[in-house]
Coordinates of all heavy atoms in Angstrom, one line a residue:
M1 N 11.8 -13.9 -8.2 CA 10.3 -14.1 -8.1 C 9.6 -12.8 -7.7 O 8.6 -12.4 -8.3 CB 10.2 -15.2 -7.1 CG 8.7 -15.3 -6.7 SD 8.6 -16.5 -5.2 CE 7.2 -15.8 -4.3
T2 N 10.2 -12.2 -6.7 CA 9.5 -10.9 -6.3 C 10.1 -9.7 -7.0 O 11.1 -9.7 -7.5 CB 9.5 -10.8 -4.8 OG1 10.8 -10.9 -4.3 CG2 8.6 -11.7 -4.1
N3 N 9.4 -8.7 -7.0 CA 9.8 -7.4 -7.5 C 10.5 -6.5 -6.5 O 9.9 -6.1 -5.6 CB 8.5 -6.6 -8.2 CG 9.0 -5.4 -9.0 OD1 10.1 -4.9 -8.9 ND2 8.1 -5.0 -9.8
P4 N 11.8 -6.2 -6.8 CA 12.6 -5.4 -5.8 C 12.2 -3.9 -5.7 O 12.6 -3.2 -4.8 CB 14.0 -5.6 -6.1 CG 14.0 -5.9 -7.5 CD 12.6 -6.6 -7.8
D5 N 11.4 -3.5 -6.8 CA 11.1 -2.1 -6.8 C 10.2 -1.7 -5.6 O 9.4 -2.4 -5.2 CB 10.3 -1.8 -8.1 CG 11.2 -1.8 -9.4 OD1 12.3 -1.6 -9.2 OD2 10.6 -1.9 -10.4
Y6 N 10.5 -0.4 -5.2 CA 9.8 0.1 -4.1 C 8.5 0.8 -4.5 O 8.5 1.4 -5.6 CB 10.7 1.1 -3.3 CG 11.7 0.4 -2.5 CD1 12.9 0.2 -3.0 CD2 11.4 0.1 -1.2 CE1 13.9 -0.4 -2.2 CE2 12.4 -0.6 -0.3 CZ 13.7 -0.8 -0.9 OH 14.6 -1.4 -0.1
I7 N 7.5 0.8 -3.8 CA 6.3 1.5 -4.0 C 6.2 2.6 -2.9 O 6.5 2.3 -1.7 CB 5.0 0.6 -3.8 CG1 5.1 -0.6 -4.6 CG2 3.7 1.3 -4.0 CD1 4.7 -0.4 -6.0
I8 N 5.9 3.8 -3.3 CA 5.8 4.9 -2.3 C 4.3 5.3 -2.1 O 3.7 5.6 -3.1 CB 6.7 6.0 -2.7 CG1 8.2 5.5 -2.8 CG2 6.6 7.1 -1.6 CD1 9.2 6.6 -3.2
I9 N 3.8 5.2 -0.9 CA 2.5 5.7 -0.7 C 2.5 6.9 0.2 O 3.1 6.9 1.3 CB 1.7 4.5 0.0 CG1 1.7 3.2 -0.9 CG2 0.2 5.0 0.4 CD1 2.4 2.1 -0.2
R10 N 1.9 8.0 -0.3 CA 1.8 9.3 0.5 C 0.3 9.5 0.9 O -0.4 9.7 -0.1 CB 2.4 10.4 -0.4 CG 2.5 11.7 0.4 CD 3.0 12.8 -0.5 NE 3.3 14.0 0.4 CZ 2.4 14.9 0.8 NH1 1.1 14.8 0.6 NH2 2.8 15.9 1.5
A11 N 0.1 9.6 2.1 CA -1.2 9.9 2.6 C -1.7 11.2 2.3 O -1.0 12.2 2.6 CB -1.5 9.5 4.0
E12 N -2.9 11.5 1.7 CA -3.4 12.8 1.3 C -4.5 13.1 2.4 O -5.2 14.1 2.2 CB -3.9 12.7 0.0 CG -2.9 12.5 -1.2 CD -1.9 13.6 -1.3 OE1 -2.4 14.8 -1.3 OE2 -0.7 13.4 -1.3
E13 N -4.8 12.3 3.3 CA -5.8 12.5 4.4 C -5.4 11.7 5.6 O -4.5 10.8 5.4 CB -7.2 12.2 3.9 CG -7.5 10.7 3.7 CD -8.9 10.4 3.3 OE1 -9.7 11.4 3.1 OE2 -9.2 9.2 3.1
D14 N -5.9 11.9 6.8 CA -5.7 11.1 7.9 C -6.3 9.8 7.8 O -7.4 9.6 7.2 CB -6.2 11.9 9.2 CG -5.4 13.1 9.5 OD1 -4.2 13.3 8.9 OD2 -5.7 13.9 10.2
G15 N -5.7 8.8 8.3 CA -6.3 7.4 8.5 C -6.3 6.6 7.2 O -7.2 5.8 7.0
V16 N -5.3 6.9 6.3 CA -5.2 6.0 5.1 C -4.6 4.7 5.6 O -3.7 4.7 6.4 CB -4.2 6.7 4.1 CG1 -3.8 5.7 3.0 CG2 -4.9 7.9 3.5
H17 N -5.1 3.6 5.1 CA -4.6 2.2 5.4 C -3.9 1.7 4.2 O -4.4 1.7 3.1 CB -5.7 1.3 5.9 CG -6.1 1.7 7.4 ND1 -7.0 2.6 7.7 CD2 -5.6 1.1 8.5 CE1 -7.2 2.6 8.9 NE2 -6.3 1.7 9.5
V18 N -2.7 1.2 4.5 CA -1.9 0.4 3.5 C -2.0 -1.1 4.0 O -1.6 -1.4 5.2 CB -0.5 0.8 3.5 CG1 0.3 -0.1 2.4 CG2 -0.4 2.2 3.1
I19 N -2.7 -1.9 3.3 CA -3.0 -3.3 3.8 C -2.2 -4.3 2.9 O -2.2 -4.2 1.6 CB -4.4 -3.6 3.7 CG1 -5.2 -2.7 4.5 CG2 -4.8 -5.0 4.0 CD1 -6.7 -2.5 4.1
G20 N -1.4 -5.2 3.5 CA -0.6 -6.1 2.7 C -1.4 -7.4 2.6 O -1.9 -7.9 3.7
L21 N -1.4 -8.1 1.5 CA -2.1 -9.3 1.3 C -1.1 -10.4 1.0 O 0.0 -10.1 0.2 CB -3.1 -9.2 0.1 CG -4.2 -8.4 0.4 CD1 -4.1 -7.0 -0.2 CD2 -5.5 -8.9 0.0
T22 N -1.3 -11.6 1.5 CA -0.4 -12.6 1.5 C -0.1 -13.2 0.1 O -1.1 -13.2 -0.7 CB -0.8 -13.8 2.4 OG1 -2.1 -14.2 2.0 CG2 -0.8 -13.4 3.8
R23 N 1.0 -13.8 -0.1 CA 1.3 -14.5 -1.5 C 1.0 -15.9 -1.2 O 1.0 -16.5 -0.1 CB 2.8 -14.3 -1.7 CG 3.2 -14.9 -3.1 CD 4.7 -14.6 -3.4 NE 5.0 -13.3 -3.4 CZ 4.8 -12.4 -4.4 NH1 4.2 -12.9 -5.5 NH2 5.2 -11.2 -4.4
G24 N 0.5 -16.6 -2.3 CA 0.3 -18.1 -2.2 C -1.2 -18.4 -2.4 O -1.9 -17.5 -2.9
T25 N -1.6 -19.5 -2.1 CA -3.0 -20.0 -2.4 C -4.0 -19.3 -1.7 O -5.2 -19.0 -2.2 CB -3.2 -21.5 -2.1 OG1 -2.5 -21.9 -0.9 CG2 -2.6 -22.4 -3.2
D26 N -3.7 -18.9 -0.4 CA -4.7 -18.0 0.3 C -4.2 -16.6 0.2 O -3.1 -16.3 0.4 CB -4.6 -18.4 1.8 CG -5.2 -19.8 2.1 OD1 -6.1 -20.2 1.3 OD2 -4.9 -20.3 3.2
T27 N -5.2 -15.7 -0.1 CA -4.9 -14.3 -0.2 C -5.7 -13.7 1.0 O -6.9 -13.6 1.0 CB -5.5 -13.7 -1.5 OG1 -4.9 -14.4 -2.6 CG2 -5.1 -12.3 -1.7
K28 N -4.8 -13.3 2.0 CA -5.4 -12.7 3.2 C -4.6 -11.5 3.6 O -3.4 -11.3 3.2 CB -5.2 -13.8 4.3 CG -6.1 -15.0 4.1 CD -5.9 -15.9 5.4 CE -6.8 -17.1 5.3 NZ -6.4 -18.2 6.2
F29 N -5.4 -10.6 4.3 CA -4.7 -9.4 4.9 C -3.7 -10.0 5.9 O -4.0 -10.8 6.7 CB -5.7 -8.6 5.7 CG -6.7 -7.8 4.8 CD1 -6.8 -8.1 3.4 CD2 -7.4 -6.8 5.3 CE1 -7.7 -7.4 2.6 CE2 -8.3 -6.1 4.5 CZ -8.4 -6.4 3.2
H30 N -2.4 -9.4 5.9 CA -1.6 -9.8 7.0 C -1.0 -8.7 7.7 O -0.4 -8.8 8.8 CB -0.4 -10.7 6.4 CG 0.6 -10.0 5.4 ND1 1.6 -9.1 5.8 CD2 0.7 -10.0 4.1 CE1 2.2 -8.7 4.9 NE2 1.7 -9.1 3.8
H31 N -1.2 -7.5 7.2 CA -0.7 -6.3 7.8 C -1.4 -5.0 7.4 O -1.8 -4.9 6.3 CB 0.9 -6.1 7.5 CG 1.5 -5.1 8.3 ND1 2.1 -5.3 9.5 CD2 1.6 -3.7 8.1 CE1 2.6 -4.2 10.0 NE2 2.3 -3.1 9.2
S32 N -1.7 -4.2 8.4 CA -2.4 -2.9 8.1 C -1.6 -1.8 8.8 O -1.3 -2.0 9.9 CB -3.8 -3.0 8.5 OG -4.5 -1.8 8.3
E33 N -1.2 -0.8 7.9 CA -0.5 0.3 8.5 C -1.4 1.5 8.3 O -1.9 1.8 7.1 CB 0.8 0.4 7.7 CG 2.0 1.2 8.3 CD 2.5 0.5 9.6 OE1 2.7 -0.7 9.6 OE2 2.7 1.3 10.5
K34 N -1.5 2.3 9.3 CA -2.2 3.5 9.2 C -1.3 4.8 9.0 O -0.4 4.9 9.8 CB -3.1 3.7 10.5 CG -4.0 4.9 10.4 CD -4.9 4.9 11.7 CE -5.2 6.3 12.1 NZ -4.3 6.9 12.9
L35 N -1.6 5.6 7.9 CA -0.9 6.8 7.7 C -1.8 8.0 7.8 O -2.9 8.0 7.4 CB -0.3 6.7 6.2 CG 0.5 5.6 5.8 CD1 0.8 5.8 4.3 CD2 1.8 5.4 6.7
D36 N -1.2 9.1 8.5 CA -1.9 10.3 8.5 C -1.4 11.3 7.4 O -0.3 11.0 6.8 CB -1.7 11.0 9.9 CG -2.6 10.2 10.9 OD1 -3.6 9.7 10.5 OD2 -2.2 10.2 12.1
T37 N -2.0 12.4 7.2 CA -1.7 13.3 6.0 C -0.3 13.6 6.0 O 0.4 13.9 7.0 CB -2.5 14.6 6.2 OG1 -3.9 14.4 6.4 CG2 -2.2 15.5 5.0
G38 N 0.3 13.4 4.8 CA 1.8 13.7 4.6 C 2.7 12.6 5.0 O 3.9 12.6 4.6
E39 N 2.2 11.6 5.6 CA 3.1 10.5 6.1 C 3.3 9.6 4.8 O 2.4 9.5 3.9 CB 2.4 9.7 7.1 CG 2.5 10.4 8.5 CD 2.1 9.5 9.7 OE1 1.2 8.7 9.5 OE2 2.7 9.6 10.8
V40 N 4.5 9.1 4.7 CA 4.9 8.3 3.5 C 5.2 6.9 4.0 O 5.9 6.7 5.0 CB 6.1 9.0 2.9 CG1 6.8 8.1 2.0 CG2 5.6 10.3 2.2
M41 N 4.8 5.9 3.2 CA 5.2 4.5 3.5 C 6.0 4.1 2.2 O 5.5 4.3 1.1 CB 4.2 3.6 3.8 CG 4.6 2.1 4.1 SD 3.3 1.2 4.9 CE 4.0 -0.3 4.8
I42 N 7.2 3.5 2.4 CA 7.9 2.9 1.3 C 7.9 1.4 1.5 O 8.4 0.9 2.5 CB 9.4 3.5 1.3 CG1 9.3 5.0 1.3 CG2 10.2 2.9 0.2 CD1 10.7 5.7 1.8
A43 N 7.4 0.7 0.4 CA 7.2 -0.7 0.6 C 7.6 -1.4 -0.6 O 7.6 -0.9 -1.7 CB 5.8 -1.0 1.0
Q44 N 7.8 -2.7 -0.4 CA 8.2 -3.7 -1.5 C 7.2 -4.8 -1.5 O 6.6 -5.2 -0.6 CB 9.5 -4.3 -1.3 CG 10.7 -3.4 -1.7 CD 12.0 -4.1 -1.3 OE1 12.2 -4.4 -0.2 NE2 12.8 -4.2 -2.3
F45 N 7.0 -5.5 -2.7 CA 6.4 -6.8 -2.7 C 7.5 -7.8 -2.4 O 8.6 -7.6 -2.8 CB 5.9 -7.0 -4.1 CG 4.7 -6.1 -4.5 CD1 4.9 -5.0 -5.3 CD2 3.5 -6.4 -4.0 CE1 3.9 -4.2 -5.6 CE2 2.3 -5.6 -4.3 CZ 2.6 -4.5 -5.1
T46 N 7.1 -8.7 -1.5 CA 8.0 -9.7 -1.0 C 7.6 -11.1 -1.2 O 6.5 -11.3 -1.8 CB 8.3 -9.4 0.5 OG1 7.1 -9.8 1.1 CG2 8.7 -8.0 0.8
E47 N 8.3 -12.1 -0.6 CA 7.9 -13.4 -0.7 C 6.6 -13.6 0.1 O 5.8 -14.6 0.0 CB 9.0 -14.4 -0.2 CG 9.4 -14.2 1.2 CD 10.3 -15.3 1.6 OE1 10.0 -16.5 1.5 OE2 11.4 -15.0 2.2
H48 N 6.3 -12.7 1.0 CA 5.1 -12.8 1.9 C 4.0 -12.0 1.4 O 2.8 -12.1 1.8 CB 5.4 -12.4 3.4 CG 6.6 -13.2 3.9 ND1 6.4 -14.5 4.2 CD2 7.8 -12.8 4.3 CE1 7.6 -14.9 4.7 NE2 8.4 -13.9 4.8
T49 N 4.3 -10.8 0.6 CA 3.3 -9.9 0.2 C 3.2 -9.8 -1.3 O 4.2 -9.5 -2.0 CB 3.8 -8.5 0.7 OG1 3.9 -8.5 2.1 CG2 2.7 -7.4 0.4
S50 N 2.1 -10.2 -1.9 CA 1.9 -10.2 -3.3 C 1.0 -9.0 -3.8 O 1.1 -8.7 -5.0 CB 1.1 -11.5 -3.8 OG -0.2 -11.5 -3.1
A51 N 0.3 -8.4 -2.9 CA -0.6 -7.3 -3.2 C -0.8 -6.4 -2.1 O -0.4 -6.7 -0.9 CB -2.0 -7.9 -3.7
M52 N -1.2 -5.2 -2.4 CA -1.4 -4.1 -1.4 C -2.8 -3.5 -1.8 O -3.0 -3.2 -2.9 CB -0.3 -3.1 -1.4 CG 1.0 -3.5 -0.9 SD 2.2 -2.3 -0.9 CE 3.6 -3.1 -1.7
K53 N -3.5 -3.3 -0.8 CA -4.7 -2.4 -0.9 C -4.6 -1.1 -0.1 O -4.1 -1.1 1.0 CB -5.9 -3.2 -0.3 CG -7.2 -2.5 -0.2 CD -8.3 -3.4 0.2 CE -9.5 -2.5 0.4 NZ -10.7 -3.3 0.7
I54 N -4.8 0.0 -0.8 CA -4.8 1.2 -0.2 C -6.1 1.8 0.0 O -6.9 1.9 -1.0 CB -4.0 2.2 -1.1 CG1 -2.7 1.6 -1.8 CG2 -3.7 3.6 -0.3 CD1 -1.6 1.3 -0.8
R55 N -6.5 2.1 1.3 CA -7.9 2.5 1.5 C -7.7 3.9 2.0 O -7.1 4.2 3.1 CB -8.4 1.7 2.6 CG -9.8 1.8 2.9 CD -10.3 0.8 3.9 NE -11.7 1.1 4.4 CZ -12.7 0.7 3.7 NH1 -12.7 0.0 2.7 NH2 -13.9 1.1 4.2
G56 N -8.4 4.9 1.3 CA -8.3 6.3 1.7 C -7.6 7.0 0.5 O -7.2 6.5 -0.5
K57 N -7.5 8.4 0.8 CA -7.0 9.2 -0.3 C -5.4 9.3 -0.2 O -4.9 9.7 0.9 CB -7.5 10.6 0.0 CG -7.3 11.5 -1.3 CD -8.0 12.8 -1.1 CE -7.6 14.0 -2.1 NZ -7.7 13.5 -3.5
A58 N -4.8 8.8 -1.2 CA -3.3 8.8 -1.2 C -2.8 8.9 -2.6 O -3.5 8.6 -3.6 CB -2.9 7.4 -0.6
K59 N -1.4 9.2 -2.7 CA -0.8 9.1 -4.0 C 0.1 8.0 -3.9 O 0.9 7.8 -3.0 CB 0.0 10.4 -4.2 CG -0.9 11.6 -4.7 CD -0.1 12.6 -5.5 CE -0.9 13.7 -6.1 NZ -1.2 14.8 -5.2
I60 N 0.2 7.2 -5.0 CA 1.0 5.9 -5.1 C 1.9 6.1 -6.2 O 1.6 6.2 -7.3 CB 0.2 4.7 -5.2 CG1 -0.8 4.6 -4.0 CG2 0.9 3.4 -5.2 CD1 -2.3 4.4 -4.4
Y61 N 3.2 6.1 -5.8 CA 4.3 6.3 -6.8 C 5.0 5.0 -7.1 O 5.4 4.3 -6.0 CB 5.3 7.3 -6.3 CG 4.8 8.7 -5.9 CD1 4.2 8.9 -4.8 CD2 5.0 9.7 -6.8 CE1 3.7 10.1 -4.5 CE2 4.5 11.0 -6.5 CZ 3.8 11.1 -5.4 OH 3.3 12.4 -5.1
S62 N 4.9 4.6 -8.3 CA 5.6 3.3 -8.7 C 6.3 3.4 -10.0 O 6.2 4.5 -10.7 CB 4.6 2.1 -8.6 OG 3.8 2.2 -9.8
T63 N 6.8 2.3 -10.5 CA 7.4 2.3 -11.8 C 6.4 2.5 -12.9 O 6.6 2.9 -14.1 CB 8.2 1.0 -12.2 OG1 7.4 0.0 -11.9 CG2 9.5 0.9 -11.3
H64 N 5.1 2.3 -12.6 CA 4.0 2.5 -13.5 C 3.5 4.0 -13.5 O 2.6 4.3 -14.2 CB 2.8 1.6 -13.1 CG 3.2 0.2 -13.1 ND1 3.3 -0.5 -14.2 CD2 3.4 -0.7 -12.1 CE1 3.7 -1.8 -14.0 NE2 3.8 -1.9 -12.6
G65 N 4.1 4.8 -12.7 CA 3.8 6.2 -12.7 C 3.1 6.5 -11.3 O 3.2 5.8 -10.3
V66 N 2.3 7.6 -11.3 CA 1.7 8.0 -10.1 C 0.1 7.6 -10.2 O -0.5 8.0 -11.3 CB 1.8 9.5 -9.8 CG1 1.2 9.9 -8.5 CG2 3.2 9.8 -9.8
V67 N -0.5 7.1 -9.3 CA -1.9 6.8 -9.3 C -2.5 7.3 -8.0 O -1.8 7.3 -7.0 CB -2.2 5.3 -9.6 CG1 -1.7 4.5 -8.4 CG2 -3.7 5.1 -9.8
E68 N -3.7 7.9 -8.1 CA -4.3 8.4 -6.9 C -5.4 7.4 -6.4 O -6.3 7.0 -7.2 CB -4.9 9.8 -7.2 CG -3.9 10.8 -7.1 CD -4.5 12.2 -7.2 OE1 -5.2 12.6 -6.1 OE2 -4.2 13.0 -8.1
S69 N -5.5 7.1 -5.1 CA -6.6 6.4 -4.6 C -7.5 7.5 -3.9 O -7.0 8.5 -3.5 CB -6.2 5.4 -3.7 OG -5.5 5.9 -2.5
D70 N -8.7 7.1 -3.8 CA -9.7 8.1 -3.1 C -10.8 7.2 -2.4 O -10.9 6.0 -2.7 CB -10.3 9.0 -4.1 CG -10.7 10.3 -3.4 OD1 -10.7 10.4 -2.2 OD2 -11.0 11.3 -4.1
F71 N -11.4 7.8 -1.6 CA -12.5 7.2 -0.8 C -13.7 8.0 -0.9 O -13.8 9.2 -0.4 CB -12.1 6.9 0.6 CG -13.1 6.0 1.4 CD1 -13.3 4.8 1.2 CD2 -14.0 6.8 2.3 CE1 -14.3 4.0 1.9 CE2 -14.9 6.0 3.1 CZ -15.0 4.6 2.8
K72 N -14.8 7.5 -1.5 CA -16.0 8.2 -1.7 C -17.2 7.6 -0.9 O -17.3 6.3 -0.9 CB -16.5 8.3 -3.1 CG -15.4 8.8 -4.1 CD -15.8 10.2 -4.6 CE -14.9 10.7 -5.8 NZ -13.7 11.1 -5.4
K73 N -17.8 8.4 -0.1 CA -18.8 7.8 0.8 C -20.1 7.6 0.0 O -20.4 8.5 -0.9 CB -19.1 8.6 2.0 CG -18.0 8.4 3.0 CD -18.1 9.3 4.2 CE -16.8 9.4 4.9 NZ -16.6 10.6 5.6
Ligands
LIG1 N1 6.5 -8.7 6.6 C1 6.0 -8.1 5.4 C2 6.7 -8.7 4.2 O1 7.9 -9.0 4.3 C3 6.3 -6.6 5.5 C4 5.7 -5.9 4.2 C5 6.4 -5.9 3.1 C6 4.5 -5.3 4.0 N2 5.8 -5.1 2.1 C7 4.5 -4.7 2.7 C8 3.4 -5.0 4.8 C9 3.5 -4.1 2.1 C10 2.3 -4.3 4.2 C11 2.3 -3.8 2.9 O2 6.1 -9.0 3.3

């Protein structure tokens, strides 16, 4: 049911947030992790986590390639 592939998030600025959203009928934030520049988080989608939101400037490495998030004021 869930995808065992890992997603790697590398913060490109201080204060990047990786936010996990719940699986199921309710889609809610259940966890927020703060990363500073150069910090890396390695995460999976699980039975509890169906989506992730990345807030801030980061590089996200996955089987889909590399995508960059950014935050413009
Ligand atoms: N307890 C969460 C879970 O098992 C931990 C987790 C997994 C998580 N992947 C995540 C938290 C991605 C935030 C973002 O689903």
Side-chain angles (χ1 to χ4, degrees):
M1 171 187 144
T2 51
N3 186 341
D5 284 341
Y6 287 89
I7 305 279
I8 300 172
I9 302 119
R10 185 183 191 281
E12 300 289 316
E13 68 180 3
D14 291 346
V16 169
H17 280 88
V18 179
I19 300 159
L21 294 101
T22 55
R23 189 177 297 282
T25 41
D26 291 338
T27 306
K28 292 185 177 160
F29 288 12
H30 68 75
H31 187 93
S32 176
E33 199 68 41
K34 184 173 146 280
L35 305 179
D36 288 332
T37 308
E39 288 187 326
V40 165
M41 182 165 167
I42 303 162
Q44 280 174 303
F45 292 101
T46 68
E47 62 172 309
H48 303 296
T49 304
S50 65
M52 291 178 223
K53 173 174 171 171
I54 316 293
R55 194 176 168 84
K57 190 170 168 59
K59 282 205 172 81
I60 299 129
Y61 300 81
S62 74
T63 53
H64 302 287
V66 184
V67 65
E68 280 191 63
S69 62
D70 207 344
F71 183 74
K72 304 254 193 284
K73 284 176 199 153

